[in-house]
Amino acid sequence: MSSVRPTVERLQLGVSLTRLRTAARKSQSEAASAIDRTAARLSQVENGKGSLGTEELLKLLDFYGVQGNERNTILALGTAARRRSVRRGYVDTLPEPFQRLVEMQVAASRISWYECGVIPGLVQSPDYVQAIMALSNSIYWEPSEEETGNRISFRLDHQRRVLECGGPKDITVIFTEDSLQHTVGSTSVMRGQVLHLLQLLERHENLTIRVVLNSAVDNPALGGGLVLLDFQESSPVSFAPLLYGPCTYYDQAEDLATMQRMYLRVEELALSRERTRELLIDLVRKDA
């Protein structure tokens, strides 16, 4: 195995193997010995800078006790991670794509998240999450209270894992003002959402929330969203949220440059952290 250029596939393989090793309560040294590699080499793989052959992956999965569909998914990720052909975007069509998205956000040192017309999932209140999932039931999946409940639990766990992870992480969430004006669930849910945002700002010093006013001129990201992930040990990755379809990631320099320029322009248009806080407080007072 040699050190190779980090890609989304290699990063996803790395964060997945890290999670499995942690769940199995094995050290890097123990896991590396199981496949006759050094801990330094395994560290490269877990940081998205290397790949493993099929036989090595099989030994590692046996060592971690991984079976069934998850085993097949990791093997498929391993195949994708070894691919050296250049491609523009990576479409994640493997099972449990949102699990890998969360793992990448947990591993990131910086998250830059922008949404237009909706509160970003990372800072949604529990009631807002329930309302979003309730309206999605029978549209994005067949009517199922169990499925809806599972998705609510997953979203709330996603927030907890990213916002409360122990490592250093800078998080900036930007959304358009109309996100606060569209009623999701009820007016009561929206009042609670504003209070939730204020509570998050008080609770998390590493979190910045900013609003782009409706009066802002020439927003280049109207009608869409984007997430930029920076890593200490790997190259940046960008993700474009979609209404429907598989997750699409970008890690090529030309794509990242475009999305970074777009995000920087949105940052220029957005209110500061403090001005946003004042806006939210004003909304609470008006509804009092």
Side-chain angles (χ1 to χ4, degrees):
M1 181 191 69
S2 60
S3 180
V4 295
R5 186 183 72 82
T7 63
V8 175
E9 303 95 306
R10 290 161 194 153
L11 183 59
Q12 286 190 343
L13 176 65
V15 296
S16 295
L17 290 177
T18 301
R19 171 177 55 82
L20 293 172
R21 177 175 59 77
T22 301
R25 297 185 178 182
K26 304 295 184 182
S27 68
Q28 277 190 341
S29 296
E30 291 171 328
S33 295
I35 58 173
D36 297 321
R37 292 290 185 179
T38 65
R41 282 298 194 181
L42 182 58
S43 178
Q44 283 186 321
V45 174
E46 291 187 349
N47 286 318
K49 295 182 178 179
S51 59
L52 291 174
T54 301
E55 291 302 315
E56 291 174 316
L57 266 181
L58 286 170
K59 287 181 182 179
L60 199 57
L61 293 174
D62 286 341
F63 186 63
Y64 295 156
V66 179
Q67 299 296 330
N69 292 334
E70 187 165 38
R71 183 184 183 94
N72 295 332
T73 298
I74 297 298
L75 291 173
L77 269 178
T79 299
R82 291 190 297 274
R83 194 177 298 125
R84 294 180 180 270
S85 58
V86 178
R87 47 96 185 109
R88 287 296 295 269
Y90 170 64
V91 181
D92 188 351
T93 57
L94 296 174
E96 304 295 334
F98 290 107
Q99 174 68 35
R100 287 184 291 281
L101 175 59
V102 173
E103 289 173 351
M104 291 171 69
Q105 291 179 8
V106 172
S109 58
R110 178 186 302 156
I111 300 174
S112 305
W113 190 325
Y114 165 79
E115 291 279 7
C116 179
V118 65
I119 302 297
L122 197 59
V123 294
Q124 292 174 356
S125 70
D127 286 343
Y128 192 100
V129 172
Q130 290 186 37
I132 283 282
M133 297 305 174
L135 67 87
S136 300
N137 188 23
S138 79
I139 295 178
Y140 291 102
W141 56 85
E142 292 297 321
S144 169
E145 293 305 316
E146 180 181 2
E147 177 69 14
T148 302
N150 289 340
R151 288 176 181 254
I152 291 171
S153 297
F154 183 86
R155 175 67 56 82
L156 296 177
D157 184 61
H158 168 199
Q159 296 174 350
R160 179 191 58 78
R161 290 179 63 190
V162 176
L163 292 174
E164 299 179 10
C165 65
K169 188 190 303 291
D170 292 324
I171 304 173
T172 299
V173 173
I174 302 176
F175 53 86
T176 51
E177 184 181 8
D178 61 325
S179 305
L180 297 167
Q181 298 167 343
H182 298 312
T183 300
V184 175
S186 68
T187 55
S188 176
V189 169
M190 298 310 298
R191 283 196 297 270
Q193 176 62 63
V194 174
L195 287 169
H196 182 70
L197 293 171
L198 287 168
Q199 291 168 354
L200 288 176
L201 286 172
E202 292 296 325
R203 194 180 307 149
H204 301 285
E205 292 183 356
N206 64 324
L207 172 65
T208 295
I209 297 175
R210 302 177 64 184
V211 170
V212 179
L213 295 178
N214 294 337
S215 58
V217 178
D218 292 337
N219 180 353
L222 285 176
L226 62 92
V227 179
L228 300 173
L229 303 176
D230 291 283
F231 302 88
Q232 290 183 340
E233 300 292 339
S234 187
S235 302
V237 169
S238 61
F239 165 67
L242 299 172
L243 281 176
Y244 180 76
C247 302
T248 302
Y249 297 92
Y250 300 93
D251 58 10
Q252 298 296 320
E254 57 268 40
D255 296 316
L256 285 168
T258 298
M259 299 186 81
Q260 287 166 344
R261 286 195 299 269
M262 189 179 304
Y263 187 82
L264 286 173
R265 177 56 181 152
V266 169
E267 275 194 318
E268 292 173 355
L269 294 172
L271 297 177
S272 66
R273 188 182 195 270
E274 186 53 38
R275 288 282 307 282
T276 294
R277 182 175 177 275
E278 291 172 0
L279 171 68
L280 297 174
I281 291 174
D282 286 343
L283 289 175
V284 171
R285 288 171 177 167
K286 288 178 182 178
D287 287 336

